[in-house]
Amino acid sequence: MTVINVFKKLKFGDWAIKLGLMTRDQVEFAMSKKNISNQMLGHLCIEEGFIEHEQLAQIIAAQFSFPYVELKGIDDPELLKLVHIDLMVKYIFVPYKRKGNELIIAITEPMSCFKVIDELEMLTDMNISVVVTSEKKVLELLKKMEASRSALDDISDDMRLSIVRETDKGEDILSHEKVSAEESPVVKLVDSTILDAINKQASDIHFETSERGMIIRYRIDGMLHQATDPLSVQYQSPVISRIKVMSELDISEKRIPQDGRFKLKVRDRHIDFRISILPTVFGEDAVIRILDRETMMPDASKFNLDNIGLPAGDLTSIRRMIHSPYGMFLMTGPTGSGKTTTLYMAMAEVNSKDIKIITIEDPVEYQVDGIAQIQVNEKTGLTFARGLRSILRHDPDKILVGEIRDTETAQIALQSALTGHLVFTTVHANNSFEVINRFIHMGIEPYQLMSALNCIVAQRLIRTLCQCKTKVKLSENILEASGLDPKSCDGKSFYNAKGCPNCKGTGYKGRSAIIELIELDDDFKTLFINRSPVSVIKKKSLESGTVFLRQAALKEVFSGNTTLAEANRVTFIEPSR
């Protein structure tokens, strides 16, 4: 057992001062408050803003004579096989490095190191050394490690697609059980699938019936990934019935589509789920949309526009628009393009104690302090239109309408924008110019829309490459098929997704937003009111400096942030001229 030196006599506060991380006045203040609150001194100092988590780790390391390290991750994934995650969670530590027969662990609490070392030496038969690191970093890493553990691994093999195997005696073995006896395993399957999808930060779960059995897939970062081997055909109906029961849908009706919702409490937080059941030729398919607020925005400090990754020019324009005294800030894009997230980031920047913000949504995707939020409930008659009328009687300064779906909601939202309110809202459309036609089809006159509209923002989410990306040379055929001039691409670098443990083999790590922003000045409004051809409006947009979605996506490609294939997947390929 390798433990460094006997504990020093200097106390926490003495080391904080000696390292220049706190003043004596701050230490004395923290000590006096500790005597009242009985909080741990280090955590109290962080709460008061005297030090940060990394600085706390530095002080603790110096106090107990251990080396300090800044934990950025685990370089060698094989280390995780040496120690069970339950033991790491118990003592809050992670394996840091391995040198021959010596295992170095990163801990957060030196007082517990002796117990950890004793257990690890018996389990691994290795010498154990200790370094100190930030508790916040260790907890974040443990959370990711827990998320990577698939809950589906615990599902009984009997539930997987039955495979006929031939024994040494030449006999065929076929394992089947009655559906009526599978209530408990089916419940376990559905619950485990939902938990696994939450851990993997999936946005949707697809239960798909086929002649091979039921296939379960997750949508992660906009792409579908199969979660497990196909389940036996006999489990298709019970699984769908279980989902219907959870959503309070009619389990006897199997011929028409059904929609529902339910809410679960997972690890002390509530998560909403929206359900869609669809009859197919092989049975009923189900899609569960996961609305996990913690996953969508885990850190409130990151709830601002700077973290979207937009160009400085676009950010400046958006900030100017969201600080307008009145009018409509309109976002458009398909489902799952991050419109609501961007709107909430925009609202968080203008949210202050001297203004009132009210939202009406279906569902409420984020809960933000200082903002009154209303959940649409059509069963009780609380629709977007009815809720919006009530909002206007509550003297708001800014309003968020989750989505404009009908003429009545559109009329009230536009009237609100014309009477001194700033309205944030979304409309489903494929691009900025189609939004106008959507409103016209709702019966809105172009001049009425243009009087209220400040800007139109079209958004998409594009997957960003992991650090394991590899540089590639693309052929002229591929470039031309992508609408690019091969000669103009000389000297430009292209990358492909490779895949590593850090990105779970996908080659991509998260997504970033690309936008198309059209600020509506008088010339633009005149063109729209006169219903000018799209080609004329696009030409005017280019002259005014608008960056279209395709150009924004290609900019990410040329910057090495994503692949050309991903840009082609997200945006339309424009023919080269």
Side-chain angles (χ1 to χ4, degrees), residues 82 317 362 418 561:
L82 297 174
S317 298
D362 183 25
L418 290 169
N561 296 327

Side-chain angles (χ1 to χ4, degrees), residues 356-372:
K356 184 163 187 174
I357 301 177
I358 307 179
T359 77
I360 180 163
E361 305 161 75
D362 183 25
V364 174
E365 294 190 9
Y366 303 105
Q367 293 177 350
V368 182
D369 291 338
I371 295 179

Side-chain angles (χ1 to χ4, degrees), residues 380-393:
T380 61
L382 179 53
T383 61
F384 274 109
R386 187 172 181 179
L388 191 50
R389 283 197 205 95
S390 298
I391 286 174
L392 293 174
R393 293 193 286 270

Side-chain angles (χ1 to χ4, degrees), residues 178-198:
K178 292 182 180 180
V179 174
S180 58
E182 289 303 322
E183 181 179 352
S184 179
V186 168
V187 171
K188 180 182 178 183
L189 167 65
V190 175
D191 292 350
S192 298
T193 302
I194 292 172
L195 182 60
D196 188 48
I198 292 169

Side-chain angles (χ1 to χ4, degrees), residues 324-344:
S324 301
Y326 55 84
M328 180 178 284
F329 183 95
L330 178 63
M331 291 204 68
T332 184
T335 301
S337 58
K339 302 184 299 295
T340 305
T341 302
T342 300
L343 283 183
Y344 261 93

Side-chain angles (χ1 to χ4, degrees), residues 138-173:
V138 171
L139 291 175
E140 287 176 353
L141 192 56
L142 289 175
K143 186 176 181 180
K144 289 180 182 178
M145 289 162 60
E146 281 193 304
S148 67
R149 286 200 303 180
S150 175
L152 295 179
D153 292 340
D154 298 330
I155 296 175
S156 169
D157 288 337
D158 291 336
M159 297 191 65
R160 302 191 184 277
L161 183 64
S162 299
I163 300 174
V164 179
R165 292 189 178 92
E166 190 172 44
T167 65
D168 294 336
K169 297 180 180 180
E171 298 173 341
D172 288 340
I173 298 176

